[in-house]
């Protein structure tokens, strides 16, 4: 049996012994071990969620960092002018891509709405006719 199996978040002899030992040495350690035994299974999902949130936060910081950073001069006016023109061109391309993405997202929303509307209309027609095409139950049962 390996260490991870001994210290899994469950009421195993090892975890109970560590909890008791933790309470005897320093009560917050025992409390922490008790919390691990009770809530340990949730820690894996919690850790994953926290990692995703921090990755998203720092990715946002990296993206915005370049736009708000003051442009420092290299001392070569020609290079600085070229650099500023290139950065402006790239920013314009980014803006165009963002606009295209927004247009595409709106197009997809309309497609989904149209598909949902078509499915709903078909359901209402079938319900009105009292039959279903999928061999499911008939909406209105008539006795012979």
């Amino acid at each position: 049996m390996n260490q991870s199996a001994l210290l899994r978040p469950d009421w195993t002899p090892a975890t109970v012994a560590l909890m008791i030992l933790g309470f005897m040495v320093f009560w917050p350690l025992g409390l922490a071990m008790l919390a691990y035994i009770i809530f340990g299974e949730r820690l894996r999902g919690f850790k994953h969620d926290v990692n995703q949130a921090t990755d998203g936060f720092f990715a946002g910081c990296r993206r915005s960092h370049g736009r708000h950073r003051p442009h420092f001069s290299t001392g070569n006016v020609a290079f600085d002018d070229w650099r500023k023109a290139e950065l402006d061109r790239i920013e314009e391309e980014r803006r165009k891509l963002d606009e295209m993405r927004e247009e595409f997202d709106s197009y997809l929303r309309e497609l989904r709405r149209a598909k949902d509307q078509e499915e709903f209309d078909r359901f209402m027609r079938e319900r009105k006719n009292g039959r279903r095409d999928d061999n499911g139950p008939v909406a209105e049962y008539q006795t012979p």
Side-chain angles (χ1 to χ4, degrees), residues 125-139:
R125 278 192 311 270
E126 290 175 3
R127 185 171 181 253
K128 184 178 179 182
N129 293 338
R131 63 179 178 80
R132 290 184 54 167
D133 290 337
D134 62 355
N135 296 329
V138 176

Side-chain angles (χ1 to χ4, degrees), residues 103-118:
E103 290 174 12
F104 184 68
D105 288 345
S106 134
Y107 174 74
L108 284 178
R109 276 193 302 275
E110 283 301 312
L111 278 179
R112 286 186 198 113
R113 191 189 78 58
K115 180 183 175 196
D116 290 347
Q117 185 66 46
E118 188 272 327

